[in-house]
Amino acid sequence: MKKNIIAMNASIMIGLGSILAAPSVYAESISDLEKQKESIQEKRSGIESNISDTEKKIDSLQDKQMTAEDQIAAIEAKIAESAKKIDAKNAEITQTKKEIEALKEEIKVLKERIAKRNEVLKERALSFQETGGDVNYLEVLFGSSSFGDLVDRVGAVATIAEADRDILKQHELDKKDLEEKQKAVETKLASLEVAKAELLEIQKQQKQQKQEKDALVKKLKQQTEKHEHEKMGLEEEKANLAAQEKAIKSAISLEHQRLAELEAARKKAAAEAKKRAEQEAAQAAAQAASQASESKKQSTSSGYSAKSNSSSSSSPASSNVSQAPAVSSGTFTRPSAGYVSSTMGERWNKQHAGIDIAASGTVPIVAAADGVVSRSYFSSSYGNVIFVTHSIGGQQWTTVYAHLSSRQASEGAVVAKGQQIGIMGNTGHSYGQHLHFELHKGPWNYSKSNAVNPLNYIPN
């Protein structure tokens, strides 16, 4: 079976190693493949270093995120504490306002009391003005009927005068008390309002700090997601490089095997040629001896027919698949029938690194050139996808066939140009049945920096 595969894929090995008849060319072909393998190994090493660096960045960002989240938790605790203090101040302000309302009622009573005292004083002042002041008191005194009555009257007059003085004194005290209470309550309320304003300012600053930390955490999360996405891409690129290295090793192994079979065939052909030469020499000698001994006889020459061994090379059985494109004579052939529904370039604010070929029905997908399948798997974005590694004229190429409904070539398989490897589909991140086809001059990488426009290489 292996011999049949090697024979069937003689043209593939030519494409992979630019093989001609001379052994020196074979050596150069293997040397080219070895160089490609070493280049892939170096790139894998670089990718592994980049993955390690990205993991360190992710760890650093996660540490910063945890620190910021701890700070947010501390700030939230302070905000809650400030809220409690503000609530307490609000309660005190409410209580003080109640005290102010109560004081207003008390002030109202005091004002009424003062107003009544003012009326009394006004009446006495009016009486004093009408009677000439002390005359009233003299009349009171001179109108006494006895000394005892005089004493009583003098005492009454003194009592009234003292009462007037007490009224005036209490009037002043009440006014002073009113003013002090007003001032104390107003001072207390102002102090509470100031304290509340300070707490509100502190809380405002704390909320601002929290907003800043929330923004920082959001930014750190975005950066972490970005690096995690980059890491996934690098790991995908690493896996593809490993698969390509495996494909190159397979190509080298097949190349060595082919060289060994060609050398064995060359030795066998040389041995057969030597044997035929010896047989022909012996036959010629026998004929010469016979002619010398029987010179007068009519010699009947017996013909010797040289049997030639012909070797037939088997070609791969090609199935006449409906709607499969004709294999072109160029380096790359068209991978499927259909029309180009999307070209390479900017699309949906992202780089579309290949072309889309759309068609309906059951549409075969074929290898664009001879090569080795480096990857054949299901991707969340590509869906069913096949990567094929090609070595053409010492240059490594990679073709990608995405969104297939089914894959008919597994990793490590040697495929010929135009050989069917799958069926067009609509798997992965796809809208409608089509083939997403990419051509990379070199290995595939996550940034797709090696991608070239397939329309410049395949027939339209």
Side-chain angles (χ1 to χ4, degrees):
M1 181 64 183
K2 187 182 289 185
K3 289 183 179 181
N4 290 335
I5 293 174
I6 295 169
M8 182 177 70
N9 293 290
S11 59
I12 296 174
M13 293 299 99
I14 293 172
L16 286 169
S18 304
I19 297 175
L20 297 176
S24 61
V25 178
Y26 298 156
E28 289 174 5
S29 174
I30 292 174
S31 176
D32 288 341
L33 291 171
E34 290 288 354
K35 288 178 182 178
Q36 291 178 22
K37 184 182 74 172
E38 291 172 3
S39 174
I40 289 173
Q41 289 172 340
E42 289 176 2
K43 288 175 182 176
R44 279 185 64 190
S45 177
I47 292 295
E48 288 172 353
S49 176
N50 290 339
I51 290 173
S52 177
D53 292 342
T54 304
E55 286 175 343
K56 289 178 182 177
K57 289 178 183 177
I58 291 171
D59 291 341
S60 175
L61 288 169
Q62 288 176 340
D63 289 341
K64 290 179 181 178
Q65 184 176 326
M66 290 178 64
T67 301
E69 287 173 348
D70 290 341
Q71 291 172 347
I72 288 172
I75 291 171
E76 286 176 342
K78 290 180 180 179
I79 291 173
E81 184 180 353
S82 297
K84 288 182 180 179
K85 290 181 179 179
I86 291 170
D87 290 341
K89 289 298 176 186
N90 283 329
E92 288 185 53
I93 289 170
T94 301
Q95 181 61 34
T96 303
K97 287 181 177 179
K98 288 180 180 179
E99 292 175 4
I100 289 172
E101 292 299 323
L103 184 59
K104 284 181 180 179
E105 292 297 324
E106 187 177 347
I107 289 171
K108 183 179 179 182
V109 172
L110 286 172
K111 284 183 177 180
E112 290 174 356
R113 189 182 303 164
I114 290 170
K116 288 178 181 179
R117 288 171 182 167
N118 283 334
E119 290 297 325
V120 172
L121 292 173
K122 283 180 183 179
E123 289 177 0
R124 288 183 182 176
L126 181 61
S127 174
F128 179 80
Q129 184 178 8
E130 290 175 349
T131 58
D134 293 337
V135 176
N136 288 334
Y137 293 106
L138 290 174
E139 287 179 353
V140 171
L141 293 173
F142 289 136
S144 58
S145 59
S146 64
F147 181 77
D149 186 28
L150 175 64
V151 172
D152 291 336
R153 290 192 178 205
V154 169
V157 169
T159 300
I160 292 170
E162 183 67 25
D164 289 342
R165 285 194 297 270
D166 288 343
I167 289 171
L168 291 172
K169 184 178 180 180
Q170 188 62 43
H171 194 159
E172 291 300 323
L173 289 173
D174 287 344
K175 285 177 67 177
K176 185 178 179 181
D177 182 59
L178 175 63
E179 290 171 354
E180 288 177 352
K181 284 184 177 181
Q182 283 181 329
K183 185 176 180 181
V185 173
E186 288 171 356
T187 301
K188 181 179 179 181
L189 181 61
S191 175
L192 288 171
E193 293 290 354
V194 169
K196 178 184 175 181
E198 290 175 351
L199 287 171
L200 287 171
E201 181 61 27
I202 291 171
Q203 189 182 57
K204 180 182 177 182
Q205 293 175 359
Q206 291 168 342
K207 288 181 177 179
Q208 180 65 31
Q209 290 175 355
K210 183 178 180 298
Q211 288 177 352
E212 291 173 358
K213 293 297 179 182
D214 286 338
L216 176 60
V217 169
K218 183 178 179 180
K219 182 179 178 181
L220 291 171
K221 285 182 177 179
Q222 289 174 343
Q223 291 177 343
T224 301
E225 289 175 358
K226 177 185 175 184
H227 287 302
E228 286 176 344
H229 190 65
E230 289 176 356
K231 180 186 173 185
M232 289 175 63
L234 290 170
E235 288 175 343
E236 179 75 6
E237 186 173 347
K238 178 184 174 183
N240 274 284
L241 286 171
Q244 289 176 0
E245 181 182 353
K246 184 178 178 182
I248 293 294
K249 286 180 179 178
S250 175
I252 292 172
S253 175
L254 290 171
E255 194 75 3
H256 279 296
Q257 189 171 350
R258 175 176 167 75
L259 287 175
E261 291 191 356
L262 287 174
E263 181 63 19
R266 186 186 65 78
K267 289 181 178 179
K268 182 179 179 181
E272 289 177 350
K274 182 179 178 181
K275 183 178 179 181
R276 284 197 300 270
E278 290 174 351
Q279 289 176 348
E280 289 173 356
Q283 183 180 3
Q287 286 178 347
S290 176
Q291 287 175 356
S293 62
E294 299 180 5
S295 58
K296 292 183 180 180
K297 292 182 179 179
Q298 181 70 30
S299 65
T300 303
S301 63
S302 28
Y304 293 87
S305 58
K307 296 181 181 178
S308 60
N309 296 323
S310 61
S311 62
S312 60
S313 60
S314 60
S315 59
S318 59
S319 58
N320 184 17
V321 180
S322 176
Q323 298 181 358
V327 178
S328 64
S329 59
T331 304
F332 296 98
T333 191
R334 211 171 196 274
S336 78
Y339 67 96
V340 176
S341 59
S342 182
T343 58
M344 182 175 177
E346 190 77 16
R347 189 178 73 172
W348 302 330
N349 296 324
K350 296 176 75 175
Q351 179 66 17
H352 187 232
I355 63 171
D356 292 345
I357 302 175
S360 59
T362 302
V363 185
I365 305 301
V366 301
D370 301 338
V372 178
V373 177
S374 53
R375 294 204 75 185
S376 178
Y377 71 115
F378 185 87
S379 162
S380 59
S381 57
Y382 279 138
N384 279 315
V385 61
I386 293 176
F387 289 72
V388 180
T389 299
H390 315 271
S391 181
I392 302 172
Q395 172 66 51
Q396 181 185 347
W397 297 80
T398 307
T399 50
V400 180
Y401 312 79
H403 307 313
L404 307 179
S405 64
S406 63
R407 292 173 279 118
Q408 298 171 0
S410 57
E411 291 185 12
V414 177
V415 293
K417 180 181 180 182
Q419 178 181 333
Q420 184 172 336
I421 58 175
I423 300 292
M424 185 184 291
N426 186 28
T427 58
H429 191 64
S430 170
Y431 301 97
Q433 177 173 295
H434 71 283
L435 167 69
H436 175 73
F437 177 69
E438 294 178 12
L439 178 61
H440 300 262
K441 193 172 184 178
W444 181 95
N445 56 50
Y446 177 68
S447 62
K448 302 185 181 179
S449 58
N450 293 332
V452 295
N453 191 346
L455 293 179
N456 296 333
Y457 296 86
I458 65 171
N460 296 329

